[in-house]
Amino acid sequence: MSFWKRFIGKKQAPINEPFVNPVTTELHSHLIPAIDDGVHQWEESIEVLRFFSALGYQKVITTPHVMADFYKNGPDTILPWVGKLNDECAKQQIPITLEAAAEYMVDDGFEQKIDAGQILSFGTKKYVLIEMPFEAPAPNLKQILFALRINGYTPVLAHPERYLYYAANVKHYHDLWDAEVLFQLNLGSLVGHYGPLQLKAASYLINNRMVNLVGSDCHGMRHAALVEAALRTPLYEQVCQLPLLNNSL
Ligand SMILES: [Fe+2]
C-alpha cells in the first residue's frame, strides 16, 4: 500500500484531502555518492530523491560528513555532484531541487577549515551543521562555537537528542539553547530508531519547543521506511507546530 493511502487510512482523512507534509525542505542527509557512509551509487541518490519528492519535499539540502580523520570532504568533493544529480532529476522528471552543505564533526581540524573559509553553510544566516562524538562532548566545542560566530556563521547542532551525555542532564540542552545554538532533530528519533532514551530526549526537546529544524539524516534507501514512519507520528505533528526553519531555507 502506498504512503499516501496508509496515511490517509490512519488519519481517516477524506480521500480528496491527501496528507500534505508541512515541511517542504529536507535538511540533513548523506546523498553524495561514495564520499561518506551514505549512498554508494548515484542511482541510489536519485532513488532517495524520488522518494523524498513523494513525501512532499521540494528541496533537499544534503550534508555529507566532514571529519578530519575519516571523511576528508570539502567543496571539491561535494559540489561537483550537485549539478549532475539535479540534471538527472530533471531528466527523470522528479520535481525536486538538490543543494549541498555539510555536517562537520567538531574535531581538531575544524577550526582550521573555518579560518580558511572552506565551510559549506546554508540559508541566509549562514547556518553550519555540526556534530559531536557520541561518547563524550567535544572538548573544543566552545572554541568552535566562538570561531563560527566571529566568522558570521550560525551553528546548528545535529541531532542533539542522540547525545546521551546531554540527555542524562537536560541542563546541557538549556545551556546550549541559551547560547543560541540551533537544534536539528532527527526524524528517526521520533520512532525510537536510535533507542528509547533518544526518543525520550526528542520528546523533551519538542515539549520544550527547543527544535529549530528537522531532518532525516538519511544515509540511503535503507532509511526510507524509517523516514516514512516518522512522518506519521503524533510527535511529528507536534514538532511541525513549532516555528521550524526548514521551509525558509
Ligand atoms: Fe548525518
Side-chain angles (χ1 to χ4, degrees):
M1 192 184 287
S2 77
F3 166 78
W4 305 106
K5 281 183 182 163
R6 260 181 283 164
F7 194 92
I8 289 164
K10 191 177 173 65
K11 302 292 275 188
Q12 297 189 330
I15 197 77
N16 59 348
E17 285 182 30
F19 165 70
V20 176
N21 187 352
V23 176
T24 55
T25 297
E26 152 59 27
L27 178 274
H28 194 161
S29 61
H30 300 268
L31 304 184
I32 303 295
I35 65 168
D36 63 5
D37 57 345
V39 303
H40 291 290
Q41 313 279 345
W42 69 265
E43 290 89 343
E44 189 182 4
S45 308
I46 299 297
E47 205 180 340
V48 173
L49 289 167
R50 188 192 308 279
F51 172 72
F52 278 151
S53 175
L55 294 184
Y57 295 106
Q58 297 164 14
K59 188 197 277 189
V60 170
I61 303 173
T62 196
T63 51
H65 287 292
V66 178
M67 295 182 189
D69 297 333
F70 297 105
Y71 304 118
K72 299 177 189 218
N73 290 315
D76 57 328
T77 62
I78 297 170
L79 297 181
W81 276 101
V82 175
K84 290 179 197 174
L85 293 171
N86 274 320
D87 288 350
E88 189 61 28
C89 282
K91 199 170 143 191
Q92 297 194 26
Q93 298 186 314
I94 304 167
I96 204 160
T97 304
L98 179 72
E99 295 180 6
E103 180 183 18
Y104 292 94
M105 175 60 76
V106 180
D107 56 24
D108 289 340
F110 189 27
E111 192 165 3
Q112 203 180 349
K113 290 186 182 72
I114 299 169
D115 291 342
Q118 294 173 348
I119 301 299
L120 289 169
S121 64
F122 55 96
T124 51
K125 292 197 176 169
K126 295 176 72 176
Y127 301 111
V128 177
L129 189 66
I130 61 172
E131 66 171 334
M132 289 196 295
F134 290 114
E135 304 77 35
N140 59 338
L141 178 63
K142 276 192 178 167
Q143 196 178 326
I144 288 296
L145 293 177
F146 180 74
L148 286 169
R149 296 265 187 224
I150 59 167
N151 282 280
Y153 297 111
T154 304
V156 178
L157 182 62
H159 39 64
E161 75 281 6
R162 294 189 63 192
Y163 306 117
L164 295 183
Y165 45 81
Y166 283 165
N169 180 357
V170 294
K171 180 182 178 299
H172 296 299
Y173 289 137
H174 290 274
D175 288 346
L176 285 171
W177 186 260
D178 291 345
E180 297 185 356
V181 174
L182 274 54
F183 287 170
Q184 176 264 307
L185 198 87
N186 270 13
L187 293 177
S189 300
L190 306 183
V191 287
H193 173 65
Y194 306 102
L197 294 177
Q198 292 85 344
L199 170 60
K200 192 178 163 196
S203 188
Y204 178 85
L205 293 172
I206 293 171
N207 285 326
N208 284 275
R209 305 178 63 83
M210 293 164 71
V211 181
N212 304 97
L213 291 146
V214 290
S216 66
D217 205 354
C218 179
H219 282 65
M221 284 305 287
R222 65 186 184 275
H223 288 153
L226 195 69
V227 176
E228 188 176 321
L231 298 189
R232 292 186 280 115
T233 60
L235 274 177
Y236 184 69
E237 203 174 319
Q238 198 181 333
V239 78
C240 286
Q241 304 299 316
L242 303 181
L244 298 176
L245 295 170
N246 287 70
N247 293 356
S248 72
L249 300 175

